[in-house]
Amino acid sequence: MSIGSVTAIHIAPEQGSPVEARDTVEAVPDRGLEGDRYFRTAGTFADREGSDLTLIEAEALEGVEREYDIELEPGVHRRNLTTEGVALNHLVDSEFRLGEVRCRGIELCEPCSYLESHLEKRGIREALVHRGGLRARILEGGTIQVGTPLEMVTDG
């Protein structure tokens, strides 16, 4: 049963480079998304488990805008997938599917000083505490596209 869906996909080919929106992307187990900096282990957190894939809730971004008056353009949060309809914090230590792609939530993707300095928006770090998204490991690969449902895995 679907509990949410992917509303946007973003990758950054190089560390610090602008993000690129994609309609579809290939997810590779223990590597990440093809074309993304973490796929080549070139990102800031490349040595951290769960850097295969990062997700953030559209609802969290709406809350940041509403509560802190900080508008984030699509993808500038530097998370790979934007989702809606699912509380990502609840997926830590849980397996879930994005269509055919099987993942495991590893830890919350708390905001860091890098993000705040990169965006040059004061207060963004505070605004995203506990709603900065989820780091996940890709267990089984496949294609993710905008609109892909997110489902809990119940058999593992």
Short mmCIF file of all heavy atoms in Angstrom, two decimals, residues 88-148:
data_model
loop_
_atom_site.label_atom_id
_atom_site.label_comp_id
_atom_site.label_asym_id
_atom_site.label_seq_id
_atom_site.Cartn_x
_atom_site.Cartn_y
_atom_site.Cartn_z
N LEU A 88 8.89 10.98 6.82
CA LEU A 88 10.18 10.33 6.60
C LEU A 88 10.90 10.00 7.91
O LEU A 88 11.62 9.00 7.98
CB LEU A 88 11.07 11.20 5.72
CG LEU A 88 10.58 11.41 4.29
CD1 LEU A 88 11.45 12.44 3.57
CD2 LEU A 88 10.54 10.10 3.52
N ASN A 89 10.72 10.79 8.94
CA ASN A 89 11.39 10.51 10.22
C ASN A 89 11.03 9.13 10.75
O ASN A 89 11.81 8.50 11.44
CB ASN A 89 11.03 11.56 11.27
CG ASN A 89 11.67 12.91 10.98
OD1 ASN A 89 12.21 13.14 9.91
ND2 ASN A 89 11.61 13.80 11.95
N HIS A 90 9.86 8.64 10.40
CA HIS A 90 9.40 7.33 10.87
C HIS A 90 10.03 6.17 10.09
O HIS A 90 9.82 5.01 10.45
CB HIS A 90 7.87 7.23 10.78
CG HIS A 90 7.18 8.24 11.64
ND1 HIS A 90 6.80 7.98 12.93
CD2 HIS A 90 6.85 9.52 11.40
CE1 HIS A 90 6.24 9.06 13.45
NE2 HIS A 90 6.27 10.01 12.54
N LEU A 91 10.80 6.47 9.06
CA LEU A 91 11.40 5.42 8.24
C LEU A 91 12.82 5.06 8.66
O LEU A 91 13.44 4.18 8.05
CB LEU A 91 11.36 5.81 6.76
CG LEU A 91 9.97 6.01 6.16
CD1 LEU A 91 10.08 6.36 4.69
CD2 LEU A 91 9.10 4.80 6.38
N VAL A 92 13.36 5.71 9.69
CA VAL A 92 14.68 5.33 10.20
C VAL A 92 14.59 3.89 10.69
O VAL A 92 13.65 3.51 11.40
CB VAL A 92 15.14 6.28 11.34
CG1 VAL A 92 16.42 5.77 11.98
CG2 VAL A 92 15.34 7.69 10.80
N ASP A 93 15.54 3.06 10.29
CA ASP A 93 15.60 1.63 10.62
C ASP A 93 14.46 0.81 10.01
O ASP A 93 14.17 -0.28 10.47
CB ASP A 93 15.62 1.40 12.15
CG ASP A 93 16.89 1.92 12.79
OD1 ASP A 93 17.94 1.86 12.13
OD2 ASP A 93 16.82 2.40 13.93
N SER A 94 13.84 1.34 8.96
CA SER A 94 12.76 0.61 8.28
C SER A 94 13.10 0.45 6.81
O SER A 94 13.80 1.28 6.22
CB SER A 94 11.45 1.39 8.39
OG SER A 94 11.03 1.48 9.72
N GLU A 95 12.57 -0.62 6.22
CA GLU A 95 12.72 -0.82 4.79
C GLU A 95 11.48 -0.29 4.08
O GLU A 95 10.36 -0.43 4.57
CB GLU A 95 12.95 -2.29 4.46
CG GLU A 95 14.33 -2.75 4.88
CD GLU A 95 14.70 -4.13 4.36
OE1 GLU A 95 14.03 -4.64 3.45
OE2 GLU A 95 15.68 -4.68 4.89
N PHE A 96 11.72 0.29 2.92
CA PHE A 96 10.63 0.82 2.10
C PHE A 96 11.01 0.67 0.64
O PHE A 96 12.16 0.43 0.30
CB PHE A 96 10.32 2.28 2.47
CG PHE A 96 11.48 3.23 2.29
CD1 PHE A 96 11.64 3.97 1.12
CD2 PHE A 96 12.41 3.41 3.31
CE1 PHE A 96 12.70 4.84 0.96
CE2 PHE A 96 13.48 4.29 3.17
CZ PHE A 96 13.62 5.01 2.00
N ARG A 97 10.01 0.79 -0.21
CA ARG A 97 10.22 0.71 -1.66
C ARG A 97 9.81 2.02 -2.32
O ARG A 97 8.82 2.63 -1.93
CB ARG A 97 9.38 -0.42 -2.27
CG ARG A 97 9.96 -1.78 -2.05
CD ARG A 97 9.25 -2.80 -2.98
NE ARG A 97 9.80 -4.11 -2.80
CZ ARG A 97 10.93 -4.54 -3.36
NH1 ARG A 97 11.61 -3.76 -4.15
NH2 ARG A 97 11.37 -5.77 -3.14
N LEU A 98 10.59 2.36 -3.30
CA LEU A 98 10.25 3.44 -4.23
C LEU A 98 10.06 2.74 -5.56
O LEU A 98 11.02 2.50 -6.29
CB LEU A 98 11.38 4.46 -4.29
CG LEU A 98 11.63 5.22 -3.00
CD1 LEU A 98 13.03 5.78 -2.96
CD2 LEU A 98 10.59 6.32 -2.85
N GLY A 99 8.83 2.29 -5.82
CA GLY A 99 8.60 1.44 -6.99
C GLY A 99 9.36 0.15 -6.81
O GLY A 99 9.21 -0.54 -5.81
N GLU A 100 10.28 -0.15 -7.75
CA GLU A 100 11.06 -1.39 -7.68
C GLU A 100 12.32 -1.26 -6.83
O GLU A 100 13.01 -2.25 -6.57
CB GLU A 100 11.44 -1.82 -9.10
CG GLU A 100 12.32 -0.81 -9.82
CD GLU A 100 12.46 -1.10 -11.31
OE1 GLU A 100 11.67 -1.88 -11.86
OE2 GLU A 100 13.38 -0.52 -11.92
N VAL A 101 12.64 -0.07 -6.39
CA VAL A 101 13.85 0.19 -5.63
C VAL A 101 13.59 -0.04 -4.14
O VAL A 101 12.72 0.59 -3.56
CB VAL A 101 14.36 1.63 -5.87
CG1 VAL A 101 15.60 1.91 -5.05
CG2 VAL A 101 14.63 1.85 -7.36
N ARG A 102 14.36 -0.94 -3.56
CA ARG A 102 14.21 -1.25 -2.13
C ARG A 102 15.29 -0.49 -1.35
O ARG A 102 16.46 -0.52 -1.72
CB ARG A 102 14.34 -2.75 -1.91
CG ARG A 102 14.01 -3.19 -0.52
CD ARG A 102 14.02 -4.72 -0.46
NE ARG A 102 13.67 -5.18 0.86
CZ ARG A 102 12.95 -6.26 1.10
NH1 ARG A 102 12.50 -6.99 0.10
NH2 ARG A 102 12.69 -6.62 2.33
N CYS A 103 14.86 0.17 -0.27
CA CYS A 103 15.76 1.01 0.51
C CYS A 103 15.61 0.73 1.99
O CYS A 103 14.62 0.14 2.43
CB CYS A 103 15.43 2.50 0.28
SG CYS A 103 15.53 3.04 -1.43
N ARG A 104 16.58 1.19 2.76
CA ARG A 104 16.51 1.14 4.22
C ARG A 104 16.87 2.52 4.75
O ARG A 104 17.92 3.07 4.42
CB ARG A 104 17.48 0.11 4.78
CG ARG A 104 17.47 0.06 6.30
CD ARG A 104 18.19 -1.19 6.81
NE ARG A 104 17.87 -1.47 8.18
CZ ARG A 104 16.71 -1.92 8.65
NH1 ARG A 104 15.71 -2.13 7.83
NH2 ARG A 104 16.53 -2.16 9.93
N GLY A 105 15.97 3.07 5.57
CA GLY A 105 16.24 4.36 6.21
C GLY A 105 17.35 4.18 7.23
O GLY A 105 17.29 3.29 8.07
N ILE A 106 18.37 5.02 7.17
CA ILE A 106 19.55 4.90 8.04
C ILE A 106 19.50 5.91 9.18
O ILE A 106 19.64 5.56 10.34
CB ILE A 106 20.86 5.06 7.24
CG1 ILE A 106 20.95 3.99 6.14
CG2 ILE A 106 22.08 5.01 8.16
CD1 ILE A 106 20.96 2.55 6.65
N GLU A 107 19.33 7.19 8.85
CA GLU A 107 19.31 8.22 9.88
C GLU A 107 18.65 9.48 9.32
O GLU A 107 18.52 9.64 8.11
CB GLU A 107 20.72 8.54 10.36
CG GLU A 107 21.60 9.18 9.31
CD GLU A 107 23.02 9.48 9.79
OE1 GLU A 107 23.32 9.26 10.98
OE2 GLU A 107 23.82 9.92 8.97
N LEU A 108 18.27 10.36 10.25
CA LEU A 108 17.74 11.65 9.82
C LEU A 108 18.84 12.43 9.12
O LEU A 108 20.01 12.31 9.46
CB LEU A 108 17.22 12.45 11.01
CG LEU A 108 16.06 11.83 11.78
CD1 LEU A 108 15.62 12.79 12.89
CD2 LEU A 108 14.90 11.49 10.87
N CYS A 109 18.46 13.19 8.16
CA CYS A 109 19.40 14.01 7.39
C CYS A 109 19.30 15.43 7.94
O CYS A 109 18.69 16.32 7.35
CB CYS A 109 19.00 13.95 5.91
SG CYS A 109 20.23 14.56 4.79
N GLU A 110 19.88 15.61 9.13
CA GLU A 110 19.80 16.90 9.79
C GLU A 110 20.58 17.94 8.99
O GLU A 110 21.59 17.62 8.36
CB GLU A 110 20.34 16.81 11.22
CG GLU A 110 19.50 15.92 12.14
CD GLU A 110 18.14 16.48 12.50
OE1 GLU A 110 17.70 17.50 11.92
OE2 GLU A 110 17.49 15.88 13.37
N PRO A 111 20.13 19.18 9.03
CA PRO A 111 20.82 20.23 8.29
C PRO A 111 22.20 20.50 8.88
O PRO A 111 22.43 20.29 10.06
CB PRO A 111 19.90 21.44 8.46
CG PRO A 111 19.18 21.18 9.73
CD PRO A 111 19.01 19.69 9.80
N CYS A 112 23.10 20.95 8.04
CA CYS A 112 24.47 21.20 8.48
C CYS A 112 24.87 22.64 8.13
O CYS A 112 24.18 23.32 7.38
CB CYS A 112 25.42 20.22 7.82
SG CYS A 112 25.43 20.34 6.02
N SER A 113 26.00 23.05 8.65
CA SER A 113 26.49 24.40 8.37
C SER A 113 26.81 24.56 6.89
O SER A 113 26.70 25.66 6.35
CB SER A 113 27.69 24.73 9.24
OG SER A 113 28.71 23.78 9.04
N TYR A 114 27.20 23.44 6.21
CA TYR A 114 27.50 23.51 4.79
C TYR A 114 26.28 23.99 4.01
O TYR A 114 26.38 24.88 3.16
CB TYR A 114 27.96 22.15 4.25
CG TYR A 114 28.13 22.15 2.76
CD1 TYR A 114 29.31 22.64 2.17
CD2 TYR A 114 27.13 21.69 1.91
CE1 TYR A 114 29.47 22.66 0.80
CE2 TYR A 114 27.29 21.71 0.53
CZ TYR A 114 28.46 22.20 -0.01
OH TYR A 114 28.60 22.24 -1.37
N LEU A 115 25.12 23.42 4.32
CA LEU A 115 23.90 23.80 3.61
C LEU A 115 23.60 25.28 3.82
O LEU A 115 23.31 26.00 2.87
CB LEU A 115 22.71 22.95 4.07
CG LEU A 115 21.37 23.27 3.42
CD1 LEU A 115 21.41 22.97 1.93
CD2 LEU A 115 20.25 22.48 4.08
N GLU A 116 23.69 25.74 5.05
CA GLU A 116 23.39 27.14 5.35
C GLU A 116 24.36 28.07 4.64
O GLU A 116 23.95 29.07 4.05
CB GLU A 116 23.42 27.38 6.86
CG GLU A 116 22.82 28.72 7.25
CD GLU A 116 22.50 28.80 8.72
OE1 GLU A 116 23.44 28.77 9.54
OE2 GLU A 116 21.31 28.87 9.04
N SER A 117 25.65 27.76 4.65
CA SER A 117 26.62 28.62 3.98
C SER A 117 26.48 28.54 2.46
O SER A 117 26.64 29.55 1.77
CB SER A 117 28.05 28.27 4.40
OG SER A 117 28.40 26.99 3.97
N HIS A 118 26.16 27.35 1.96
CA HIS A 118 25.98 27.18 0.51
C HIS A 118 24.80 28.00 0.01
O HIS A 118 24.87 28.61 -1.05
CB HIS A 118 25.78 25.70 0.19
CG HIS A 118 25.69 25.40 -1.27
ND1 HIS A 118 26.80 25.36 -2.09
CD2 HIS A 118 24.62 25.16 -2.07
CE1 HIS A 118 26.40 25.10 -3.33
NE2 HIS A 118 25.10 24.97 -3.34
N LEU A 119 23.70 28.01 0.77
CA LEU A 119 22.50 28.74 0.35
C LEU A 119 22.56 30.22 0.70
O LEU A 119 21.78 31.00 0.17
CB LEU A 119 21.26 28.12 1.01
CG LEU A 119 20.92 26.71 0.60
CD1 LEU A 119 19.68 26.24 1.34
CD2 LEU A 119 20.69 26.63 -0.90
N GLU A 120 23.46 30.57 1.62
CA GLU A 120 23.55 31.95 2.10
C GLU A 120 22.21 32.45 2.61
O GLU A 120 21.81 33.58 2.36
CB GLU A 120 24.12 32.86 1.01
CG GLU A 120 25.52 32.47 0.57
CD GLU A 120 26.07 33.34 -0.54
OE1 GLU A 120 25.35 34.21 -1.06
OE2 GLU A 120 27.24 33.13 -0.89
N LYS A 121 21.50 31.57 3.33
CA LYS A 121 20.22 31.93 3.94
C LYS A 121 20.33 31.68 5.43
O LYS A 121 20.35 30.54 5.88
CB LYS A 121 19.07 31.10 3.37
CG LYS A 121 18.73 31.44 1.94
CD LYS A 121 17.49 30.72 1.49
CE LYS A 121 17.22 31.03 0.03
NZ LYS A 121 15.86 31.36 -0.24
N ARG A 122 20.43 32.75 6.20
CA ARG A 122 20.51 32.61 7.64
C ARG A 122 19.21 32.03 8.18
O ARG A 122 18.13 32.38 7.74
CB ARG A 122 20.79 33.96 8.30
CG ARG A 122 22.16 34.53 7.90
CD ARG A 122 22.43 35.85 8.56
NE ARG A 122 22.27 35.78 10.00
CZ ARG A 122 23.26 35.55 10.87
NH1 ARG A 122 24.48 35.39 10.40
NH2 ARG A 122 23.04 35.51 12.16
N GLY A 123 19.37 31.09 9.13
CA GLY A 123 18.21 30.50 9.77
C GLY A 123 17.75 29.19 9.15
O GLY A 123 16.90 28.52 9.72
N ILE A 124 18.30 28.82 7.99
CA ILE A 124 17.83 27.60 7.33
C ILE A 124 18.18 26.36 8.15
O ILE A 124 17.42 25.41 8.22
CB ILE A 124 18.35 27.49 5.88
CG1 ILE A 124 17.65 26.35 5.13
CG2 ILE A 124 19.85 27.28 5.85
CD1 ILE A 124 16.19 26.53 4.96
N ARG A 125 19.33 26.40 8.79
CA ARG A 125 19.74 25.24 9.60
C ARG A 125 18.74 25.02 10.73
O ARG A 125 18.27 23.91 10.95
CB ARG A 125 21.15 25.48 10.13
CG ARG A 125 21.74 24.29 10.83
CD ARG A 125 23.18 24.55 11.19
NE ARG A 125 23.75 23.39 11.83
CZ ARG A 125 24.98 23.33 12.26
NH1 ARG A 125 25.78 24.37 12.11
NH2 ARG A 125 25.43 22.25 12.84
N GLU A 126 18.41 26.07 11.44
CA GLU A 126 17.43 25.98 12.53
C GLU A 126 16.06 25.55 12.00
O GLU A 126 15.37 24.71 12.59
CB GLU A 126 17.30 27.32 13.24
CG GLU A 126 16.24 27.34 14.32
CD GLU A 126 16.03 28.73 14.91
OE1 GLU A 126 16.90 29.61 14.76
OE2 GLU A 126 14.97 28.93 15.52
N ALA A 127 15.67 26.09 10.87
CA ALA A 127 14.35 25.80 10.30
C ALA A 127 14.19 24.34 9.90
O ALA A 127 13.09 23.79 9.95
CB ALA A 127 14.09 26.71 9.09
N LEU A 128 15.29 23.68 9.53
CA LEU A 128 15.21 22.31 9.06
C LEU A 128 15.54 21.25 10.12
O LEU A 128 15.51 20.06 9.83
CB LEU A 128 16.14 22.11 7.86
CG LEU A 128 15.63 22.68 6.54
CD1 LEU A 128 16.70 22.58 5.47
CD2 LEU A 128 14.36 21.99 6.10
N VAL A 129 15.82 21.67 11.35
CA VAL A 129 16.12 20.69 12.40
C VAL A 129 14.93 19.74 12.56
O VAL A 129 13.78 20.16 12.65
CB VAL A 129 16.44 21.39 13.74
CG1 VAL A 129 16.44 20.39 14.90
CG2 VAL A 129 17.80 22.07 13.65
N HIS A 130 15.21 18.45 12.54
CA HIS A 130 14.24 17.36 12.65
C HIS A 130 13.27 17.28 11.48
O HIS A 130 12.31 16.50 11.52
CB HIS A 130 13.47 17.41 13.97
CG HIS A 130 14.35 17.38 15.17
ND1 HIS A 130 15.41 16.52 15.31
CD2 HIS A 130 14.34 18.14 16.28
CE1 HIS A 130 16.00 16.74 16.46
NE2 HIS A 130 15.39 17.73 17.07
N ARG A 131 13.49 18.06 10.44
CA ARG A 131 12.68 17.93 9.23
C ARG A 131 13.53 18.14 7.98
O ARG A 131 13.05 18.55 6.94
CB ARG A 131 11.47 18.84 9.25
CG ARG A 131 11.74 20.32 9.42
CD ARG A 131 10.41 21.04 9.44
NE ARG A 131 10.57 22.42 9.84
CZ ARG A 131 9.56 23.21 10.15
NH1 ARG A 131 8.34 22.75 10.09
NH2 ARG A 131 9.76 24.45 10.49
N GLY A 132 14.81 17.82 8.13
CA GLY A 132 15.74 17.95 7.02
C GLY A 132 15.78 16.74 6.11
O GLY A 132 16.52 16.71 5.14
N GLY A 133 14.99 15.70 6.46
CA GLY A 133 14.90 14.56 5.57
C GLY A 133 15.50 13.29 6.14
O GLY A 133 15.70 13.15 7.35
N LEU A 134 15.78 12.36 5.25
CA LEU A 134 16.20 11.02 5.60
C LEU A 134 17.36 10.59 4.71
O LEU A 134 17.34 10.82 3.50
CB LEU A 134 15.02 10.05 5.38
CG LEU A 134 15.26 8.57 5.63
CD1 LEU A 134 15.40 8.29 7.12
CD2 LEU A 134 14.11 7.75 5.04
N ARG A 135 18.37 9.96 5.32
CA ARG A 135 19.44 9.30 4.57
C ARG A 135 19.05 7.84 4.44
O ARG A 135 18.61 7.23 5.42
CB ARG A 135 20.77 9.39 5.31
CG ARG A 135 21.36 10.75 5.37
CD ARG A 135 22.75 10.70 6.02
NE ARG A 135 23.18 12.04 6.34
CZ ARG A 135 23.60 12.94 5.46
NH1 ARG A 135 23.67 12.61 4.19
NH2 ARG A 135 23.95 14.13 5.83
N ALA A 136 19.23 7.28 3.26
CA ALA A 136 18.83 5.90 3.03
C ALA A 136 19.88 5.15 2.23
O ALA A 136 20.61 5.74 1.42
CB ALA A 136 17.49 5.84 2.30
N ARG A 137 19.93 3.88 2.48
CA ARG A 137 20.79 2.96 1.72
C ARG A 137 19.94 2.29 0.66
O ARG A 137 18.80 1.89 0.93
CB ARG A 137 21.36 1.92 2.68
CG ARG A 137 22.37 1.03 2.05
CD ARG A 137 23.06 0.18 3.10
NE ARG A 137 23.66 -0.94 2.41
CZ ARG A 137 23.55 -2.19 2.76
NH1 ARG A 137 22.88 -2.52 3.83
NH2 ARG A 137 24.12 -3.12 2.04
N ILE A 138 20.46 2.15 -0.54
CA ILE A 138 19.75 1.45 -1.61
C ILE A 138 20.15 -0.02 -1.54
O ILE A 138 21.32 -0.36 -1.67
CB ILE A 138 20.10 2.05 -3.00
CG1 ILE A 138 19.67 3.52 -3.05
CG2 ILE A 138 19.42 1.24 -4.10
CD1 ILE A 138 20.18 4.26 -4.27
N LEU A 139 19.16 -0.88 -1.31
CA LEU A 139 19.40 -2.32 -1.18
C LEU A 139 19.20 -3.06 -2.50
O LEU A 139 19.93 -4.01 -2.79
CB LEU A 139 18.46 -2.91 -0.12
CG LEU A 139 18.52 -2.27 1.27
CD1 LEU A 139 17.45 -2.86 2.17
CD2 LEU A 139 19.90 -2.43 1.87
N GLU A 140 18.20 -2.66 -3.26
CA GLU A 140 17.92 -3.23 -4.59
C GLU A 140 17.65 -2.07 -5.53
O GLU A 140 16.86 -1.19 -5.22
CB GLU A 140 16.69 -4.15 -4.55
CG GLU A 140 16.87 -5.39 -3.70
CD GLU A 140 15.59 -6.22 -3.60
OE1 GLU A 140 14.64 -5.98 -4.39
OE2 GLU A 140 15.54 -7.08 -2.72
N GLY A 141 18.32 -2.08 -6.67
CA GLY A 141 18.25 -0.96 -7.57
C GLY A 141 17.09 -1.01 -8.55
O GLY A 141 16.28 -1.93 -8.56
N GLY A 142 17.03 0.02 -9.37
CA GLY A 142 16.01 0.14 -10.39
C GLY A 142 15.80 1.60 -10.74
O GLY A 142 16.61 2.46 -10.41
N THR A 143 14.70 1.86 -11.39
CA THR A 143 14.37 3.20 -11.86
C THR A 143 13.41 3.89 -10.89
O THR A 143 12.45 3.28 -10.43
CB THR A 143 13.72 3.13 -13.25
OG1 THR A 143 14.62 2.46 -14.14
CG2 THR A 143 13.40 4.51 -13.79
N ILE A 144 13.69 5.15 -10.60
CA ILE A 144 12.78 6.00 -9.83
C ILE A 144 12.39 7.14 -10.75
O ILE A 144 13.25 7.72 -11.43
CB ILE A 144 13.47 6.57 -8.57
CG1 ILE A 144 13.96 5.45 -7.65
CG2 ILE A 144 12.52 7.50 -7.82
CD1 ILE A 144 14.84 5.92 -6.51
N GLN A 145 11.12 7.46 -10.77
CA GLN A 145 10.67 8.60 -11.57
C GLN A 145 9.70 9.43 -10.75
O GLN A 145 9.19 8.98 -9.73
CB GLN A 145 10.03 8.13 -12.87
CG GLN A 145 8.85 7.23 -12.70
CD GLN A 145 8.41 6.64 -14.05
OE1 GLN A 145 9.11 6.74 -15.05
NE2 GLN A 145 7.25 6.05 -14.07
N VAL A 146 9.50 10.67 -11.19
CA VAL A 146 8.52 11.51 -10.53
C VAL A 146 7.17 10.80 -10.57
O VAL A 146 6.78 10.27 -11.61
CB VAL A 146 8.44 12.91 -11.21
CG1 VAL A 146 7.29 13.72 -10.66
CG2 VAL A 146 9.76 13.64 -11.05
N GLY A 147 6.53 10.71 -9.43
CA GLY A 147 5.25 10.00 -9.32
C GLY A 147 5.39 8.59 -8.75
O GLY A 147 4.38 7.97 -8.42
N THR A 148 6.62 8.08 -8.65
CA THR A 148 6.82 6.74 -8.09
C THR A 148 6.26 6.69 -6.68
O THR A 148 6.53 7.57 -5.87
CB THR A 148 8.33 6.39 -8.07
OG1 THR A 148 8.81 6.28 -9.40
CG2 THR A 148 8.59 5.08 -7.34
#
